Amino acid sequence: MRDGSFALLWLHGPSGVGKSTVAWEIFGELGRTGVDTVYVDVDQLGLCHPAPGDDPGNERLKAANLAAVGSVVRDAGARGLLVSGILETADAVRAYAERMPGIALTLCRLRAGERTLRDRITARGWQPQLADAAVQHAESLDRAETGELRVDTDGLSVAEVARLVREKTGWPPVVEGTAERAIPPSTVDEGAAPMLWLCGPRGVGKSAVAWEIFAGLIGSGVRTAYVDLAQLGFRRPAPDDPGGHRLKARNLGALWANFHAAGARCLIVSGGAGDQATVDRYLAAVPGTRPKVCLLRAGPAALTDRILRRGRGAGPPIPGDDLNGRSAEDLRSLAERAAREAEELDRAGIGDFRVDTGDRSAEEVARLVRARTGDWPGLA
């Protein structure tokens, strides 16, 4: 650990080892005991593609964005930042650490045997071909043992691993507190890039549609940045910031400045809007962009079906997804809440335009959104 006034714990290891799951467990424990902590998955900080040839994994960009998020979280008055994500090499560790002066950084590697990794990845039911790469990565980490803190996860529950991590790391350490400070918004040259924000109630398909548009632009060679607002720093407790929108808006501005510097020509955002004041807060964090806000809509039946499917684990794993594993009763209650949110957004007139998702696939909705915007982003 490096001395500092702010604590950062990074759980790393191969795919399937349980990084985000264990980090989320620790995050929940700390939140329940009143320790002001933020959680972020580092993979969410490098979604800007096509990546440059000399940095195919966007490691430098992730390093810059993690440093930016760390500064925002520290200045927002939180006690610590929990991070999960893959680290490929010791050089990657140094690249991240060098950008975070004054932060007490603790690295902890989670480990699992080959059988455990394969079983966990297969159980996801999503991209089982990742198992071979995960085993190879685990073996390379073992060969390059650096003496860092390590916790073996074989045969242990998530709660047991979380307990061992906290025991071995002593996290969070006692650090000097920081009072929240006002943070000026990011500034990027006026008219720098078009921005598309897909908003709407839970279960309407914001992330799925945004990802379709993002993937399509990557294929066309347009360097595009993507941000899921839900992933921009979960915080518990969230003092005087319902929904965490103030913190997430600051992080959005910080990330966009780095994405733009890395050559991103446009920005795609997905996430809930809440109300017009919340929309205005996020747009103020990215001055100079040319925003288009699209409200996605769906009826109660469609929202209920999608929320129930996510609760059963359908689709790729999402860090911090509080639907997975919930009872059918809880999921139906959340679906009713989503339907009420949809009605409120309609009444509030949120968005420059609206698109119904209904029974349409994410691909179909993506095409409709781009058609409504004149084939956004309209870059040559």
Side-chain angles (χ1 to χ4, degrees):
M1 178 185 296
R2 296 163 58 236
D3 292 335
S5 61
F6 179 76
L8 188 155
L9 172 61
W10 189 333
L11 301 183
H12 74 103
S15 178
V17 80
K19 302 178 294 298
S20 58
T21 306
V22 173
W24 189 257
E25 177 74 14
I26 295 172
F27 174 65
E29 292 174 1
L30 294 172
R32 288 189 292 273
T33 57
V35 179
D36 189 349
T37 310
V38 173
Y39 165 67
V40 67
D41 187 310
V42 77
D43 291 338
Q44 297 289 328
L45 305 182
L47 297 176
C48 185
H49 295 282
D54 62 348
D55 188 22
N58 271 335
E59 293 298 327
R60 290 198 301 270
L61 180 58
K62 289 180 185 178
N65 278 339
L66 180 60
V69 168
S71 295
V72 169
V73 170
R74 178 183 56 201
D75 290 342
R79 180 172 170 185
L81 175 63
L82 262 169
V83 176
S84 62
I86 290 175
L87 283 170
E88 295 290 348
T89 64
D91 286 341
V93 176
R94 286 191 287 271
Y96 286 97
E98 288 170 358
R99 290 178 176 268
M100 296 182 287
I103 291 179
L105 173 64
T106 303
L107 289 172
C108 180
R109 177 161 72 92
L110 300 186
R111 188 186 178 283
E114 177 178 351
R115 184 71 268 156
T116 299
L117 289 176
R118 292 189 182 280
D119 287 347
R120 289 174 181 171
I121 291 174
T122 301
R124 290 175 179 174
W126 182 74
Q127 292 193 349
Q129 70 275 15
L130 294 176
D132 288 342
V135 170
Q136 292 173 9
H137 185 207
E139 292 172 350
S140 69
L141 289 172
D142 283 341
R143 287 193 299 270
E145 184 62 62
T146 60
E148 66 185 324
L149 295 172
R150 190 182 79 179
V151 172
D152 290 311
T153 68
D154 285 315
L156 299 179
S157 69
V158 173
E160 289 170 326
V161 176
R163 176 181 56 79
L164 286 173
V165 168
R166 294 194 64 187
E167 286 178 358
K168 285 199 172 187
T169 63
W171 208 86
V174 176
V175 295
E176 299 173 12
T178 57
E180 181 166 358
R181 300 189 305 178
I183 302 173
S186 169
T187 57
V188 178
D189 292 343
E190 197 68 29
M195 168 185 168
L196 175 64
W197 179 4
L198 299 175
C199 63
R202 169 176 276 191
V204 78
K206 302 181 291 294
S207 299
V209 174
W211 189 264
E212 282 298 322
I213 298 174
F214 177 55
L217 289 172
I218 292 172
S220 71
V222 176
R223 184 165 294 169
T224 306
Y226 171 58
V227 174
D228 184 338
L229 295 178
Q231 298 295 324
L232 275 194
F234 299 94
R235 186 177 188 180
R236 293 180 184 170
D240 304 320
D241 188 17
H245 294 301
R246 188 167 69 240
L247 176 70
K248 292 175 183 179
R250 290 169 170 175
N251 279 333
L252 175 63
L255 264 61
W256 170 239
N258 287 331
F259 284 139
H260 182 255
R265 300 180 65 195
C266 52
L267 171 64
I268 300 173
V269 176
S270 65
D275 53 28
Q276 189 59 49
T278 302
V279 172
D280 293 342
R281 179 186 294 277
Y282 281 111
L283 296 184
V286 284
T289 57
R290 302 192 299 276
K292 292 282 187 182
V293 180
C294 172
L295 177 66
L296 298 182
R297 307 167 68 184
L303 293 174
T304 299
D305 177 65
R306 291 168 185 170
I307 287 173
L308 286 173
R309 283 193 284 114
R310 268 184 49 194
R312 293 192 294 267
I318 303 172
D321 188 359
D322 63 350
L323 296 181
N324 198 10
R326 297 280 284 268
S327 70
E329 182 181 359
D330 283 349
L331 293 169
R332 291 187 182 280
S333 176
L334 290 170
E336 291 174 1
R337 189 182 306 173
R340 291 194 297 271
E341 181 187 358
E343 293 176 355
E344 292 168 359
L345 291 169
D346 273 344
R347 286 195 297 269
I350 298 296
D352 298 307
F353 64 99
R354 303 176 182 188
V355 172
D356 289 320
T357 64
D359 295 327
R360 295 170 174 142
S361 67
E363 295 89 341
E364 291 172 320
V365 177
R367 286 196 294 270
L368 285 172
V369 169
R370 294 195 67 184
R372 288 290 305 274
T373 60
D375 199 28
W376 189 93
L379 297 171

